[in-house]
Amino acid sequence: MALFKRLMLGFALLMSFAAVAHAQSPNSRINLLVMSDDADPDTVPRNNRIFNRVQLQLSEYLNTRGFQVYDETSLALGITQTARVRRRDAELIEIARAVSTPVDAMVVYQIYASARRAVAADIRFPEIRIAGRVLNVRSGQFIAAFEVGGFQLPALPNPCSAECLLETVGTQSRVLAADLGAAIAQKLEGFARPSGGAAAVGKDGIVLGGGAGGGAAPVAAGGDGCNNLPTDFVIQLRDFTATEVDRVESEFVRWGCYRAHRATQMTSTSADFFYSTSADSARLTRNFRLMLELVGLNGQVTFSGNRLVVSKVATR
């Protein structure tokens, strides 16, 4: 009995460790929306049985890799016609940006399925190809693309009715969907987490790049909170003097998860920047609020979509 209790305790501890490891998976910071681009009349439409099997298998694989995968129908219910087929890229992007749940990236795929007849015999071979790509929802940045298919599949039964064709091709397409999910997961993980050092926490809790104390050299991505997809934000500084803009710019290049930035517009009282970071929007807005206190400026920080506006509040 004592041995049995020890075994059960060990099993419970093992399961708890596994649960903690899964909960801390870096992929859990990335929200994905899996969608089908069936505008091409040669692709399998989204109301087809083959489509359903590919959608479920692809979503399930990405989910087991730790990504937060959301169902399009559930998110878009009430704001668009969920039963529409033959939708184009523009419509898919509009839906991904319109849903209330913040979506980091959309996985868009196309299914091509057909049957090739042998030259010298009445034998048909199914041919399936699934092409997928990943886009950053906020910025529209192209992240990754991959294609599976193009190899010889077992011949179809003879005779093979429409029902037989749907089931046979559907079974093969599930295997390809898992391969596509594996490729997309690897590309997403490589894109989101390039090599980089850990982030340090500087004065007033601002997360810095570089070494201890927040040296001048920023890190590309590393430390807690830098496992999000790299995103380009529009930073707008309003009613700041040129000297204050320089001070703010010298601060935000030192923050953890910083990747790059460039000025897009400069006037005597304002500045616009294109700011690339692996930090999430919550950390970015918090850093700006703390930075205003650090440099001794009064201001307001507002955020919407991928645009962050910092407005100076002048006082006498």
Side-chain angles (χ1 to χ4, degrees), residues 22 40 133 135 137 153 189 215 218 224 246-247 273 304 313:
H22 177 74
D40 186 344
R133 63 191 185 279
L135 303 175
V137 172
L153 296 174
E189 289 164 353
D224 183 36
D246 292 340
R247 180 75 185 278
F273 294 96
S304 178
V313 178

Side-chain angles (χ1 to χ4, degrees), residues 128-145:
I128 311 168
R129 178 168 61 89
I130 307 177
R133 63 191 185 279
V134 185
L135 303 175
N136 188 308
V137 172
R138 291 194 185 99
S139 65
Q141 181 186 17
F142 173 85
I143 295 176

Side-chain angles (χ1 to χ4, degrees), residues 44-57 109 111:
V44 175
R46 65 192 301 253
N47 57 358
N48 187 280
R49 192 184 308 174
I50 298 174
F51 161 84
N52 292 332
R53 300 182 75 169
V54 170
Q55 175 87 2
L56 290 175
Q57 183 65 31
Y109 65 93
I111 310 170

Side-chain angles (χ1 to χ4, degrees), residues 115-125 155-156 158:
R116 176 178 58 84
R117 189 177 297 275
V119 177
D122 186 19
I123 301 176
R124 293 187 299 166
F125 297 91
L156 294 170
N158 193 358

Side-chain angles (χ1 to χ4, degrees), residues 63-139:
N63 184 58
T64 56
R65 287 290 288 264
F67 296 98
Q68 301 295 330
V69 182
Y70 289 89
D71 179 69
E72 177 200 346
T73 302
S74 299
L75 292 186
L77 193 65
I79 65 173
T80 186
Q81 298 179 2
T82 56
R84 271 183 49 78
V85 296
R86 302 303 183 191
R87 304 174 302 171
R88 299 188 178 276
D89 278 357
E91 182 176 350
L92 300 179
I93 294 172
E94 286 285 358
I95 293 173
R97 290 179 175 175
V99 297
S100 58
T101 300
V103 177
D104 298 310
M106 51 190 297
V107 179
V108 185
Y109 65 93
Q110 295 171 300
I111 310 170
Y112 294 90
S114 60
R116 176 178 58 84
R117 189 177 297 275
V119 177
D122 186 19
I123 301 176
R124 293 187 299 166
F125 297 91
E127 292 187 345
I128 311 168
R129 178 168 61 89
I130 307 177
R133 63 191 185 279
V134 185
L135 303 175
N136 188 308
V137 172
R138 291 194 185 99
S139 65

Side-chain angles (χ1 to χ4, degrees), residues 21-291:
H22 177 74
Q24 296 177 342
S25 170
N27 294 343
S28 64
R29 296 181 179 272
I30 301 176
N31 295 345
L32 298 180
L33 188 60
V34 181
M35 313 175 80
S36 173
D37 176 6
D38 57 356
D40 186 344
D42 292 332
T43 59
V44 175
R46 65 192 301 253
N47 57 358
N48 187 280
R49 192 184 308 174
I50 298 174
F51 161 84
N52 292 332
R53 300 182 75 169
V54 170
Q55 175 87 2
L56 290 175
Q57 183 65 31
L58 180 58
S59 300
E60 172 64 12
Y61 187 90
L62 293 172
N63 184 58
T64 56
R65 287 290 288 264
F67 296 98
Q68 301 295 330
V69 182
Y70 289 89
D71 179 69
E72 177 200 346
T73 302
S74 299
L75 292 186
L77 193 65
I79 65 173
T80 186
Q81 298 179 2
T82 56
R84 271 183 49 78
V85 296
R86 302 303 183 191
R87 304 174 302 171
R88 299 188 178 276
D89 278 357
E91 182 176 350
L92 300 179
I93 294 172
E94 286 285 358
I95 293 173
R97 290 179 175 175
V99 297
S100 58
T101 300
V103 177
D104 298 310
M106 51 190 297
V107 179
V108 185
Y109 65 93
Q110 295 171 300
I111 310 170
Y112 294 90
S114 60
R116 176 178 58 84
R117 189 177 297 275
V119 177
D122 186 19
I123 301 176
R124 293 187 299 166
F125 297 91
E127 292 187 345
I128 311 168
R129 178 168 61 89
I130 307 177
R133 63 191 185 279
V134 185
L135 303 175
N136 188 308
V137 172
R138 291 194 185 99
S139 65
Q141 181 186 17
F142 173 85
I143 295 176
F146 200 78
E147 184 176 292
V148 291
F151 50 86
Q152 183 71 50
L153 296 174
L156 294 170
N158 193 358
C160 187
S161 62
E163 178 72 16
C164 164
L165 183 63
L166 285 173
E167 285 299 316
T168 304
V169 173
T171 300
Q172 298 295 339
S173 64
R174 289 184 68 253
V175 178
L176 296 182
D179 291 342
L180 180 64
I184 288 177
Q186 291 177 355
K187 287 177 175 289
L188 276 170
E189 289 164 353
F191 186 84
R193 290 183 293 282
S195 59
V201 179
K203 184 177 179 181
D204 291 336
I206 293 181
V207 181
L208 302 167
V219 296
D224 183 36
C226 294
N227 294 318
N228 304 282
L229 282 181
T231 300
D232 297 326
F233 293 91
V234 176
I235 308 298
Q236 296 181 325
L237 306 181
R238 294 292 178 260
D239 301 322
F240 289 87
T241 66
T243 302
E244 291 169 342
V245 169
D246 292 340
R247 180 75 185 278
V248 171
E249 184 178 5
S250 67
E251 291 293 331
F252 67 54
V253 298
R254 301 171 57 238
W255 296 346
C257 313
Y258 166 88
R259 287 174 172 259
H261 82 285
R262 65 180 63 183
T264 58
Q265 179 176 303
M266 286 283 186
T267 70
S268 59
T269 59
S270 66
D272 292 358
F273 294 96
F274 204 62
Y275 187 85
S276 180
T277 178
S278 295
D280 55 36
S281 57
R283 168 178 284 188
L284 187 62
T285 54
R286 176 177 176 271
N287 274 0
F288 266 100
R289 289 196 301 267
L290 293 175
M291 181 270 300

